[in-house]
Amino acid sequence: MGRSNFSSHHQQTHVRRHRNAGGATSKSPNAAKTSPTMTDYLSLHSRLAQVGQEHLLKFWPELTNDERIDLVRDIEELNLDEIKLYFDRATVSMNENGIKLDDRLQPLPEGKLISIARAPLEKLDAYRDEGLLQISNGHVAVLLMAGGQGTRLGFDHPKGMYDVGLQSRKTLFRIQAERILKLEELAQEANGKRGHITWYIMTSEHTVQPTYDYFVANNFFGLKAENVLLFEQGSLPCFEYDGRIILDEKHRVARAPDGNGGIYRAMKRQGILDDMQKRGVLYLHAHSVDNILIKVADPVFIGYCVQEKADCAAKVVEKAAPNEAVGVVAIVDGKYQVVEYSEISAKTAEMRNSDGRLTFSAGNICNHFFSSNFLQKIGSTYEQELKLHVAKKKIPFVDNAGKRLTPDKPNGIKIEKFVFDVFEFAQKFVAMEVPRDEEFSALKNSDAAGKDCPSTARSDLHRLHKKYIEGAGGIVHGEVCEISPFVTYAGENLASHVEGKSFTSPVYLRDSRDPLHGHL
């Protein structure tokens, strides 16, 4: 952490403070380099030997001074007391993988799940009013999980900077920023008071600088710079199967991001929980960057959770088919959790209720609500108890001769935490089932895959926006249809623009704040 240089511009120092508030784990990028001495080496060797990791120093005599500094820094960033514990807990969880949970499983009870499609409109309107009121009062923040690069898309930048090919050429980051701005305006119209939605963006070591530069170059998309805070996801070392940490190079430890469940530790270490308290943020909407239909800080969801006094909640979509490879939100041994598709038998996956709908139908889409009180409890207590998930991977390593090799089969493990593994600690957990065609279209793959790719994201947004226009009394001929977030957040207030009008594709309803020619 803390390896990117920021200049002394006010906002950059502001971001740096949040990136480096972890103190012990973050080194200032401009700290004077001091050469490790023999005493440093001996003290480090002795500490590593106590936890069976002294092999990390085996190339010490061959390293340059700068390489030794890098290696010492990498080792200092490991919490050596935790390392053995992590590996032991992870291997226990690895041995539990594959155990079917059928006998211990129950679906979400009726009273804990509201379906947007089946709820009375007046109830949804009341939730929306509540959500807009909380936004006007400055009580709502958004946590965007944006640590990933667009590698699978063939895009060598942070995924949020990806343009799926809309007429406006807007990227995922821009679309989400504009939805936040629109929501602040809607809340002001409803309550006569402008509240700001704080936007916390979790990046990774590799994406923090390009993400920051992109926001600065685009003037934070019209948001106030002080309300956009970047912080970094942590990482965990990669292990051989015997528990020894892998060296990526002679002077670098092999590490991998600690999963989206790393948000809890990162928020505590980098001062985000403190910042929320200071700003009076009471509620947080957390989601991943790659859902183009995301209703950022959705007032209906926020209002529902506030009125239910929930600590924690999940948006879910109805599973498309029993064998759809998606985790489901359910109850295991009396506790809420996401059960992976592989953890239940086909027979259980196919069970149906009397109305013909799947019994275990609440598909998880990485879209969550947390009260700030609950997040404080996670940070101080439960984070240490989070499950660890293990993936066997092909991890590049340095052999005994010091040569870096890339294996052709898995040779070690990466450990991750998942954001939804805090559900079990919630006193009051609820879920909201949302229509997939209105709220979920993931961007994971290149177009060659034919699903969860740029062309499906684009056509899902076109279809939804066409539905908005037709719902407000307009007619659209053709399929290509885009509405700027400045015009509508979720289909509201469109009648004055479209009622009784006929549009021919490609349609692009824009606002005076949108660039004229689509290109940004």
Side-chain angles (χ1 to χ4, degrees):
M1 278 182 274
R3 293 201 181 122
S4 307
N5 281 307
F6 290 131
S7 74
S8 59
H9 177 277
H10 164 73
Q11 173 61 13
Q12 290 174 304
T13 53
H14 184 71
V15 173
R16 184 195 298 172
R17 192 177 75 237
H18 283 276
R19 293 183 54 236
N20 289 346
T25 58
S26 297
K27 302 285 175 276
S28 163
N30 303 319
K33 291 190 172 186
T34 52
S35 310
T37 62
M38 196 58 190
T39 317
D40 293 332
Y41 169 81
L42 292 170
S43 125
L44 207 50
H45 191 279
S46 138
R47 280 167 54 210
L48 288 168
Q50 286 168 15
V51 288
Q53 303 291 352
E54 65 275 19
H55 65 284
L56 295 177
L57 296 175
K58 68 180 171 189
F59 298 108
W60 186 269
E62 303 168 32
L63 301 182
T64 65
N65 195 46
D66 279 358
E67 288 172 340
R68 286 177 180 179
I69 289 167
D70 280 345
L71 181 60
V72 169
R73 183 178 57 197
D74 272 10
I75 293 168
E76 292 289 353
E77 286 183 4
L78 301 172
N79 183 332
L80 293 177
D81 300 329
E82 271 185 351
I83 292 301
K84 180 156 176 21
L85 191 66
Y86 262 101
F87 181 78
D88 292 346
R89 280 179 55 211
T91 44
V92 166
S93 99
M94 188 159 62
N95 296 333
E96 285 175 354
N97 280 356
I99 296 175
K100 299 289 184 196
L101 298 174
D102 299 53
D103 300 342
R104 298 155 54 196
L105 200 62
Q106 289 172 288
L108 290 176
E110 285 283 308
K112 297 285 188 182
L113 176 72
I114 188 171
S115 163
I116 291 286
R118 294 185 292 278
L121 267 180
E122 58 274 18
K123 205 173 200 179
L124 299 179
D125 286 344
Y127 292 147
R128 185 173 183 272
D129 292 346
E130 176 76 62
L132 290 174
L133 180 63
Q134 297 298 340
I135 288 166
S136 283
N137 289 333
H139 291 163
V140 176
V142 170
L143 173 65
L144 178 64
M145 292 173 253
Q149 284 182 289
T151 321
R152 279 161 67 183
L153 294 163
F155 181 66
D156 197 21
H157 301 282
K159 205 189 254 192
M161 289 166 61
Y162 193 77
D163 158 15
V164 304
L166 297 173
Q167 297 166 81
S168 63
R169 314 307 301 185
K170 288 178 181 178
T171 61
L172 295 171
F173 278 144
R174 180 176 286 273
I175 290 166
Q176 291 171 32
E178 291 178 358
R179 285 179 189 155
I180 288 174
L181 277 166
K182 180 63 176 176
L183 203 46
E184 289 178 350
E185 288 167 15
L186 289 172
Q188 184 174 13
E189 283 166 24
N191 301 297
K193 182 177 173 189
R194 178 83 180 221
H196 293 293
I197 296 169
T198 308
W199 203 11
Y200 299 111
I201 301 176
M202 183 173 82
T203 62
S204 61
E205 179 184 356
H206 303 293
T207 61
V208 63
Q209 188 73 48
T211 301
Y212 182 73
D213 293 344
Y214 181 65
F215 272 78
V216 170
N218 286 282
N219 200 20
F220 291 82
F221 306 107
L223 292 163
K224 288 191 170 176
E226 64 268 24
N227 295 329
V228 180
L229 282 88
L230 274 61
F231 67 108
E232 271 180 58
Q233 178 174 13
S235 62
L236 287 169
C238 303
F239 294 93
E240 292 179 46
Y241 296 127
D242 63 1
R244 293 188 343 148
I245 293 171
I246 295 173
L247 276 174
D248 182 55
E249 297 174 52
K250 291 181 189 178
H251 66 293
R252 299 308 300 264
V253 169
R255 298 188 303 182
D258 58 3
N260 57 20
I263 65 169
Y264 306 109
R265 170 172 290 208
M267 287 174 82
K268 181 170 187 182
R269 286 194 168 178
Q270 300 199 36
I272 300 299
L273 293 180
D274 291 343
D275 185 80
M276 286 173 67
Q277 227 163 4
K278 193 177 79 211
R279 290 171 185 261
V281 169
L282 302 181
Y283 311 110
L284 189 79
H285 182 206
H287 62 86
S288 53
V289 74
D290 58 6
N291 174 10
I292 197 167
L293 301 185
I294 186 75
K295 287 186 174 174
V296 186
D298 176 13
V300 179
F301 187 41
I302 304 276
Y304 166 61
C305 296
V306 169
Q307 292 201 353
E308 289 289 328
K309 298 185 171 53
D311 305 309
C312 175
K315 274 193 178 185
V316 296
V317 294
E318 191 167 359
K319 275 181 72 169
N323 61 351
E324 185 183 6
V326 58
V328 293
V329 182
I331 296 177
V332 179
D333 298 336
K335 290 178 174 171
Y336 293 95
Q337 73 174 64
V338 172
V339 178
E340 293 301 343
Y341 173 63
S342 58
E343 293 176 313
I344 53 176
S345 68
K347 188 179 170 194
T348 299
E350 286 161 10
M351 282 169 61
R352 292 185 184 269
N353 301 338
S354 55
D355 61 3
R357 290 174 44 246
L358 291 172
T359 303
F360 295 98
S361 66
N364 179 50
I365 55 172
C366 195
N367 190 325
H368 308 303
F369 165 93
F370 303 105
S371 74
S372 55
N373 283 343
F374 182 62
L375 286 172
Q376 296 288 353
K377 280 183 206 156
I378 298 295
S380 59
T381 310
Y382 300 124
E383 199 280 329
Q384 293 83 349
E385 299 172 34
L386 272 190
K387 284 184 196 140
L388 299 173
H389 300 266
V390 175
K392 295 181 179 179
K393 297 279 188 182
K394 300 172 195 168
I395 303 164
F397 67 99
V398 174
D399 69 8
N400 288 329
K403 191 167 173 239
R404 191 173 189 267
L405 302 174
T406 303
D408 53 11
K409 56 176 190 282
N411 63 318
I413 63 171
K414 290 183 177 180
I415 300 175
E416 289 189 308
K417 302 171 195 174
F418 294 161
V419 64
F420 50 70
D421 280 334
V422 296
F423 291 179
E424 64 171 286
F425 305 117
Q427 298 290 301
K428 180 75 191 276
F429 177 88
V430 293
M432 175 176 271
E433 183 188 279
V434 298
R436 189 185 292 235
D437 66 330
E438 292 183 9
E439 296 209 28
F440 185 59
S441 179
L443 181 65
K444 306 276 184 204
N445 312 309
S446 69
D447 273 339
K451 66 169 194 175
D452 296 343
C453 59
S455 57
T456 56
R458 197 167 57 240
S459 62
D460 287 345
L461 182 127
H462 288 159
R463 196 178 304 117
L464 177 61
H465 287 190
K466 177 176 176 173
K467 184 168 144 182
Y468 284 163
I469 291 175
E470 294 184 336
I475 296 169
V476 178
H477 301 282
E479 303 308 319
V480 178
C481 187
E482 180 184 356
I483 310 172
S484 163
F486 291 129
V487 174
T488 190
Y489 171 81
E492 76 293 324
N493 305 334
L494 272 180
S496 60
H497 299 273
V498 305
E499 198 169 14
K501 294 182 185 172
S502 178
F503 300 87
T504 301
S505 167
V507 182
Y508 176 32
L509 298 188
R510 51 181 292 282
D511 179 81
S512 57
R513 286 171 284 182
D514 289 299
L516 261 174
H517 304 295
H519 287 274
L520 302 172

PDB file of all heavy atoms in Angstrom, residues 233-253:
ATOM      1  N   GLN A 233      -7.855  -1.432  -1.180  1.00  0.00           N
ATOM      2  CA  GLN A 233      -8.091  -2.784  -0.681  1.00  0.00           C
ATOM      3  C   GLN A 233      -6.749  -3.345  -0.182  1.00  0.00           C
ATOM      4  O   GLN A 233      -5.706  -3.031  -0.740  1.00  0.00           O
ATOM      5  CB  GLN A 233      -8.570  -3.597  -1.874  1.00  0.00           C
ATOM      6  CG  GLN A 233      -8.842  -5.043  -1.621  1.00  0.00           C
ATOM      7  CD  GLN A 233      -9.464  -5.688  -2.871  1.00  0.00           C
ATOM      8  OE1 GLN A 233      -9.458  -5.107  -3.944  1.00  0.00           O
ATOM      9  NE2 GLN A 233      -9.988  -6.868  -2.708  1.00  0.00           N
ATOM     10  N   GLY A 234      -6.805  -4.181   0.834  1.00  0.00           N
ATOM     11  CA  GLY A 234      -5.580  -4.819   1.312  1.00  0.00           C
ATOM     12  C   GLY A 234      -5.208  -6.022   0.456  1.00  0.00           C
ATOM     13  O   GLY A 234      -5.918  -6.378  -0.489  1.00  0.00           O
ATOM     14  N   SER A 235      -4.099  -6.631   0.801  1.00  0.00           N
ATOM     15  CA  SER A 235      -3.723  -7.855   0.089  1.00  0.00           C
ATOM     16  C   SER A 235      -3.280  -8.889   1.122  1.00  0.00           C
ATOM     17  O   SER A 235      -3.005  -8.554   2.275  1.00  0.00           O
ATOM     18  CB  SER A 235      -2.587  -7.569  -0.893  1.00  0.00           C
ATOM     19  OG  SER A 235      -1.449  -7.125  -0.194  1.00  0.00           O
ATOM     20  N   LEU A 236      -3.247 -10.136   0.706  1.00  0.00           N
ATOM     21  CA  LEU A 236      -2.770 -11.220   1.567  1.00  0.00           C
ATOM     22  C   LEU A 236      -1.705 -11.980   0.793  1.00  0.00           C
ATOM     23  O   LEU A 236      -1.760 -12.063  -0.437  1.00  0.00           O
ATOM     24  CB  LEU A 236      -3.922 -12.165   1.925  1.00  0.00           C
ATOM     25  CG  LEU A 236      -4.946 -11.633   2.934  1.00  0.00           C
ATOM     26  CD1 LEU A 236      -6.163 -12.539   2.997  1.00  0.00           C
ATOM     27  CD2 LEU A 236      -4.315 -11.501   4.324  1.00  0.00           C
ATOM     28  N   PRO A 237      -0.741 -12.543   1.497  1.00  0.00           N
ATOM     29  CA  PRO A 237       0.297 -13.298   0.786  1.00  0.00           C
ATOM     30  C   PRO A 237      -0.270 -14.576   0.170  1.00  0.00           C
ATOM     31  O   PRO A 237      -1.289 -15.094   0.623  1.00  0.00           O
ATOM     32  CB  PRO A 237       1.311 -13.632   1.884  1.00  0.00           C
ATOM     33  CG  PRO A 237       0.548 -13.549   3.160  1.00  0.00           C
ATOM     34  CD  PRO A 237      -0.528 -12.535   2.945  1.00  0.00           C
ATOM     35  N   CYS A 238       0.398 -15.059  -0.876  1.00  0.00           N
ATOM     36  CA  CYS A 238       0.037 -16.345  -1.487  1.00  0.00           C
ATOM     37  C   CYS A 238       0.900 -17.431  -0.834  1.00  0.00           C
ATOM     38  O   CYS A 238       2.092 -17.212  -0.571  1.00  0.00           O
ATOM     39  CB  CYS A 238       0.318 -16.317  -2.988  1.00  0.00           C
ATOM     40  SG  CYS A 238      -0.550 -14.990  -3.826  1.00  0.00           S
ATOM     41  N   PHE A 239       0.301 -18.579  -0.606  1.00  0.00           N
ATOM     42  CA  PHE A 239       0.990 -19.657   0.107  1.00  0.00           C
ATOM     43  C   PHE A 239       1.195 -20.893  -0.769  1.00  0.00           C
ATOM     44  O   PHE A 239       0.351 -21.208  -1.614  1.00  0.00           O
ATOM     45  CB  PHE A 239       0.148 -20.111   1.311  1.00  0.00           C
ATOM     46  CG  PHE A 239      -0.010 -19.092   2.391  1.00  0.00           C
ATOM     47  CD1 PHE A 239      -1.105 -18.241   2.400  1.00  0.00           C
ATOM     48  CD2 PHE A 239       0.916 -18.987   3.420  1.00  0.00           C
ATOM     49  CE1 PHE A 239      -1.285 -17.306   3.410  1.00  0.00           C
ATOM     50  CE2 PHE A 239       0.743 -18.058   4.435  1.00  0.00           C
ATOM     51  CZ  PHE A 239      -0.351 -17.211   4.432  1.00  0.00           C
ATOM     52  N   GLU A 240       2.297 -21.608  -0.484  1.00  0.00           N
ATOM     53  CA  GLU A 240       2.407 -22.979  -0.994  1.00  0.00           C
ATOM     54  C   GLU A 240       1.461 -23.838  -0.142  1.00  0.00           C
ATOM     55  O   GLU A 240       0.995 -23.417   0.907  1.00  0.00           O
ATOM     56  CB  GLU A 240       3.849 -23.480  -0.842  1.00  0.00           C
ATOM     57  CG  GLU A 240       4.828 -22.740  -1.751  1.00  0.00           C
ATOM     58  CD  GLU A 240       6.253 -23.241  -1.572  1.00  0.00           C
ATOM     59  OE1 GLU A 240       6.454 -24.473  -1.536  1.00  0.00           O
ATOM     60  OE2 GLU A 240       7.165 -22.399  -1.452  1.00  0.00           O
ATOM     61  N   TYR A 241       1.230 -25.073  -0.585  1.00  0.00           N
ATOM     62  CA  TYR A 241       0.272 -25.915   0.147  1.00  0.00           C
ATOM     63  C   TYR A 241       0.744 -26.238   1.561  1.00  0.00           C
ATOM     64  O   TYR A 241      -0.054 -26.587   2.417  1.00  0.00           O
ATOM     65  CB  TYR A 241       0.004 -27.209  -0.621  1.00  0.00           C
ATOM     66  CG  TYR A 241      -0.673 -26.978  -1.956  1.00  0.00           C
ATOM     67  CD1 TYR A 241      -0.143 -27.491  -3.133  1.00  0.00           C
ATOM     68  CD2 TYR A 241      -1.854 -26.233  -2.039  1.00  0.00           C
ATOM     69  CE1 TYR A 241      -0.760 -27.264  -4.354  1.00  0.00           C
ATOM     70  CE2 TYR A 241      -2.479 -26.008  -3.251  1.00  0.00           C
ATOM     71  CZ  TYR A 241      -1.929 -26.526  -4.411  1.00  0.00           C
ATOM     72  OH  TYR A 241      -2.541 -26.298  -5.612  1.00  0.00           O
ATOM     73  N   ASP A 242       2.058 -26.106   1.820  1.00  0.00           N
ATOM     74  CA  ASP A 242       2.560 -26.417   3.176  1.00  0.00           C
ATOM     75  C   ASP A 242       2.566 -25.193   4.094  1.00  0.00           C
ATOM     76  O   ASP A 242       3.044 -25.264   5.231  1.00  0.00           O
ATOM     77  CB  ASP A 242       3.974 -27.018   3.092  1.00  0.00           C
ATOM     78  CG  ASP A 242       4.986 -26.033   2.496  1.00  0.00           C
ATOM     79  OD1 ASP A 242       4.589 -24.879   2.176  1.00  0.00           O
ATOM     80  OD2 ASP A 242       6.166 -26.409   2.332  1.00  0.00           O
ATOM     81  N   GLY A 243       2.061 -24.068   3.582  1.00  0.00           N
ATOM     82  CA  GLY A 243       1.977 -22.886   4.443  1.00  0.00           C
ATOM     83  C   GLY A 243       3.120 -21.913   4.292  1.00  0.00           C
ATOM     84  O   GLY A 243       3.136 -20.857   4.943  1.00  0.00           O
ATOM     85  N   ARG A 244       4.085 -22.238   3.426  1.00  0.00           N
ATOM     86  CA  ARG A 244       5.186 -21.286   3.221  1.00  0.00           C
ATOM     87  C   ARG A 244       4.744 -20.209   2.229  1.00  0.00           C
ATOM     88  O   ARG A 244       4.117 -20.505   1.218  1.00  0.00           O
ATOM     89  CB  ARG A 244       6.427 -22.009   2.695  1.00  0.00           C
ATOM     90  CG  ARG A 244       6.985 -22.959   3.754  1.00  0.00           C
ATOM     91  CD  ARG A 244       8.312 -23.582   3.439  1.00  0.00           C
ATOM     92  NE  ARG A 244       8.763 -23.555   2.063  1.00  0.00           N
ATOM     93  CZ  ARG A 244      10.048 -23.484   1.709  1.00  0.00           C
ATOM     94  NH1 ARG A 244      10.987 -23.398   2.624  1.00  0.00           N
ATOM     95  NH2 ARG A 244      10.401 -23.503   0.445  1.00  0.00           N
ATOM     96  N   ILE A 245       5.093 -18.966   2.548  1.00  0.00           N
ATOM     97  CA  ILE A 245       4.731 -17.854   1.657  1.00  0.00           C
ATOM     98  C   ILE A 245       5.596 -17.924   0.395  1.00  0.00           C
ATOM     99  O   ILE A 245       6.800 -18.197   0.457  1.00  0.00           O
ATOM    100  CB  ILE A 245       4.934 -16.508   2.389  1.00  0.00           C
ATOM    101  CG1 ILE A 245       3.933 -16.386   3.537  1.00  0.00           C
ATOM    102  CG2 ILE A 245       4.794 -15.332   1.430  1.00  0.00           C
ATOM    103  CD1 ILE A 245       4.173 -15.214   4.456  1.00  0.00           C
ATOM    104  N   ILE A 246       4.962 -17.665  -0.743  1.00  0.00           N
ATOM    105  CA  ILE A 246       5.659 -17.741  -2.034  1.00  0.00           C
ATOM    106  C   ILE A 246       6.381 -16.419  -2.317  1.00  0.00           C
ATOM    107  O   ILE A 246       5.843 -15.343  -2.054  1.00  0.00           O
ATOM    108  CB  ILE A 246       4.634 -18.048  -3.161  1.00  0.00           C
ATOM    109  CG1 ILE A 246       4.030 -19.448  -2.942  1.00  0.00           C
ATOM    110  CG2 ILE A 246       5.250 -17.918  -4.550  1.00  0.00           C
ATOM    111  CD1 ILE A 246       2.881 -19.802  -3.886  1.00  0.00           C
ATOM    112  N   LEU A 247       7.591 -16.538  -2.847  1.00  0.00           N
ATOM    113  CA  LEU A 247       8.309 -15.356  -3.329  1.00  0.00           C
ATOM    114  C   LEU A 247       7.964 -15.152  -4.799  1.00  0.00           C
ATOM    115  O   LEU A 247       8.089 -16.070  -5.609  1.00  0.00           O
ATOM    116  CB  LEU A 247       9.827 -15.547  -3.188  1.00  0.00           C
ATOM    117  CG  LEU A 247      10.454 -15.233  -1.832  1.00  0.00           C
ATOM    118  CD1 LEU A 247      11.932 -15.627  -1.847  1.00  0.00           C
ATOM    119  CD2 LEU A 247      10.329 -13.742  -1.478  1.00  0.00           C
ATOM    120  N   ASP A 248       7.536 -13.937  -5.136  1.00  0.00           N
ATOM    121  CA  ASP A 248       7.194 -13.618  -6.519  1.00  0.00           C
ATOM    122  C   ASP A 248       8.462 -13.296  -7.314  1.00  0.00           C
ATOM    123  O   ASP A 248       8.589 -13.610  -8.493  1.00  0.00           O
ATOM    124  CB  ASP A 248       6.254 -12.405  -6.529  1.00  0.00           C
ATOM    125  CG  ASP A 248       5.813 -12.044  -7.931  1.00  0.00           C
ATOM    126  OD1 ASP A 248       5.275 -12.929  -8.620  1.00  0.00           O
ATOM    127  OD2 ASP A 248       6.011 -10.886  -8.349  1.00  0.00           O
ATOM    128  N   GLU A 249       9.373 -12.601  -6.655  1.00  0.00           N
ATOM    129  CA  GLU A 249      10.719 -12.365  -7.189  1.00  0.00           C
ATOM    130  C   GLU A 249      11.641 -12.553  -6.002  1.00  0.00           C
ATOM    131  O   GLU A 249      11.175 -12.691  -4.874  1.00  0.00           O
ATOM    132  CB  GLU A 249      10.833 -10.924  -7.721  1.00  0.00           C
ATOM    133  CG  GLU A 249       9.907 -10.608  -8.883  1.00  0.00           C
ATOM    134  CD  GLU A 249       9.968  -9.125  -9.252  1.00  0.00           C
ATOM    135  OE1 GLU A 249      11.089  -8.615  -9.462  1.00  0.00           O
ATOM    136  OE2 GLU A 249       8.908  -8.490  -9.309  1.00  0.00           O
ATOM    137  N   LYS A 250      12.961 -12.509  -6.254  1.00  0.00           N
ATOM    138  CA  LYS A 250      13.882 -12.735  -5.133  1.00  0.00           C
ATOM    139  C   LYS A 250      13.639 -11.742  -3.998  1.00  0.00           C
ATOM    140  O   LYS A 250      13.910 -12.026  -2.842  1.00  0.00           O
ATOM    141  CB  LYS A 250      15.337 -12.558  -5.605  1.00  0.00           C
ATOM    142  CG  LYS A 250      15.823 -13.626  -6.545  1.00  0.00           C
ATOM    143  CD  LYS A 250      17.280 -13.318  -6.898  1.00  0.00           C
ATOM    144  CE  LYS A 250      17.791 -14.207  -7.997  1.00  0.00           C
ATOM    145  NZ  LYS A 250      19.180 -13.880  -8.354  1.00  0.00           N
ATOM    146  N   HIS A 251      13.129 -10.558  -4.359  1.00  0.00           N
ATOM    147  CA  HIS A 251      12.986  -9.511  -3.343  1.00  0.00           C
ATOM    148  C   HIS A 251      11.543  -9.067  -3.158  1.00  0.00           C
ATOM    149  O   HIS A 251      11.287  -8.033  -2.555  1.00  0.00           O
ATOM    150  CB  HIS A 251      13.854  -8.297  -3.722  1.00  0.00           C
ATOM    151  CG  HIS A 251      13.401  -7.611  -4.968  1.00  0.00           C
ATOM    152  ND1 HIS A 251      13.470  -8.214  -6.198  1.00  0.00           N
ATOM    153  CD2 HIS A 251      12.848  -6.383  -5.175  1.00  0.00           C
ATOM    154  CE1 HIS A 251      13.001  -7.384  -7.111  1.00  0.00           C
ATOM    155  NE2 HIS A 251      12.600  -6.276  -6.519  1.00  0.00           N
ATOM    156  N   ARG A 252      10.590  -9.850  -3.698  1.00  0.00           N
ATOM    157  CA  ARG A 252       9.182  -9.473  -3.548  1.00  0.00           C
ATOM    158  C   ARG A 252       8.339 -10.669  -3.106  1.00  0.00           C
ATOM    159  O   ARG A 252       8.474 -11.760  -3.646  1.00  0.00           O
ATOM    160  CB  ARG A 252       8.594  -8.942  -4.870  1.00  0.00           C
ATOM    161  CG  ARG A 252       9.241  -7.691  -5.459  1.00  0.00           C
ATOM    162  CD  ARG A 252       9.361  -6.541  -4.485  1.00  0.00           C
ATOM    163  NE  ARG A 252       8.118  -6.049  -3.929  1.00  0.00           N
ATOM    164  CZ  ARG A 252       7.446  -5.010  -4.417  1.00  0.00           C
ATOM    165  NH1 ARG A 252       7.863  -4.385  -5.496  1.00  0.00           N
ATOM    166  NH2 ARG A 252       6.360  -4.598  -3.823  1.00  0.00           N
ATOM    167  N   VAL A 253       7.458 -10.416  -2.156  1.00  0.00           N
ATOM    168  CA  VAL A 253       6.539 -11.451  -1.681  1.00  0.00           C
ATOM    169  C   VAL A 253       5.352 -11.533  -2.652  1.00  0.00           C
ATOM    170  O   VAL A 253       4.852 -10.504  -3.120  1.00  0.00           O
ATOM    171  CB  VAL A 253       6.038 -11.073  -0.262  1.00  0.00           C
ATOM    172  CG1 VAL A 253       4.879 -11.943   0.181  1.00  0.00           C
ATOM    173  CG2 VAL A 253       7.198 -11.165   0.738  1.00  0.00           C
TER     174      VAL A 253
END
